Amino acid sequence: IILTNAHVAQYFLLADRGASCTVRAGSPARDDYEAKLIFISPAWLKANATVLTQTLPSGTGEYDFAFLAVTRSATRNALPTLFPSVPLASTPPGTGTPVVIASYGAQFLESSQIQSGLFPTIVFGSVKDVFTFGTNTIDVLALGGSAAAQEGSSGGGVADASGALVGTITTSTVEGATATRSLTAITASYIRAEYANETGEALDLLLAKPIAVAVAAFAPQLPASELPRLAIATRP
């Protein structure tokens, strides 16, 4: 199961309109897996139904998460019996916590380089500040400027010293030198809480389901009133 952003995973909703989405991995990145949505935040869909028409969309990162399930290999190789994985943290880090940020930053690459020469961006940094969408919870991590603060890093992971995933990259400023930009991530604890708020179930129940069951159960949960707006907003 892959944690990513809703603004990335939304393209999986357009498979019946010709969109093709493949999971890439490795160094350099290569097409490795096919996947299907098992959750995308209904609250994000409702708030961002026309985002696909925007040239430079902006946002706070609120509700911006989704889960994909790997369903088959995109190569001639069989799926591995065991995937590398990290635990999803329950407690958010505080200001000053050392973290490792990993993404596939691609803002400065040509399209040909993105296809054949996209390498991971790894940054050792720390939490510069914390913010909330509510009142007293840590929902957003401010990570400052770094090589990861660029387009393409969306959905990248933020891990602490224990190896737990404490956040996923959602937004970044994209002008000027990367060292002067502002990169932010929503916390794993926020994702856990918001998933439970939107579904009425603990996230661990979804993560424990057999893949086939999670994929089959997803479609009926889609907010049907929002999907036409999303499809209409799609460019040819």
Side-chain angles (χ1 to χ4, degrees), residues 12-164:
F12 282 81
L13 293 172
L14 307 178
D16 61 349
R17 297 176 64 89
S20 176
C21 302
T22 305
V23 177
R24 304 175 74 194
S27 183
R30 61 188 181 275
D31 292 349
D32 261 359
Y33 313 115
E34 295 181 11
K36 291 187 177 181
L37 266 172
I38 57 172
F39 180 81
I40 185 169
S41 167
W44 188 90
L45 288 177
K46 184 176 182 179
N48 297 274
T50 61
V51 70
L52 287 173
T53 63
Q54 301 172 23
T55 303
L56 293 173
S58 61
T60 63
E62 189 171 17
Y63 314 126
D64 197 359
F65 65 97
F67 291 92
L68 308 174
V70 174
T71 54
R72 59 185 297 181
S73 174
T75 70
R76 294 181 178 180
N77 299 324
L79 286 177
T81 56
L82 185 66
F83 285 88
S85 63
V86 295
L88 193 63
S90 298
T91 304
T95 302
T97 301
V99 292
V100 178
I101 307 165
S103 69
Y104 279 103
Q107 183 176 346
F108 306 109
L109 301 180
E110 301 291 337
S111 58
S112 59
Q113 294 174 303
I114 294 174
Q115 289 298 317
S116 60
L118 179 61
F119 290 85
T121 300
I122 308 293
V123 173
F124 293 88
S126 63
V127 177
K128 309 302 183 186
D129 206 347
V130 295
F131 300 95
T132 184
F133 293 128
T135 53
N136 59 0
T137 54
I138 297 177
D139 302 328
V140 179
L141 306 177
L143 302 170
S146 70
Q150 55 174 299
E151 294 175 359
S153 287
S154 293
V158 182
D160 65 13
S162 72

Side-chain angles (χ1 to χ4, degrees), residues 1-15:
I1 293 177
I2 299 170
L3 168 64
T4 188
N5 296 147
H7 77 258
V8 174
Q10 65 178 326
Y11 294 96
F12 282 81
L13 293 172
L14 307 178

Side-chain angles (χ1 to χ4, degrees), residues 165-232:
L165 190 69
V166 296
T168 186
I169 297 170
T170 50
T171 62
S172 174
T173 53
V174 294
E175 299 293 334
T178 56
T180 65
R181 296 180 182 182
S182 177
L183 181 72
T184 62
I186 53 174
T187 62
S189 55
Y190 166 74
I191 293 170
R192 285 181 175 277
E194 183 57 30
Y195 177 87
N197 181 57
E198 294 191 28
T199 66
E201 294 184 348
L203 177 57
D204 288 336
L205 294 178
L206 173 68
L207 302 181
K209 287 181 180 178
I211 296 300
V213 173
V215 170
F218 169 68
Q221 298 175 9
L222 287 175
S225 61
E226 300 302 328
L227 291 184
R229 295 172 59 199
L230 183 65
I232 291 170

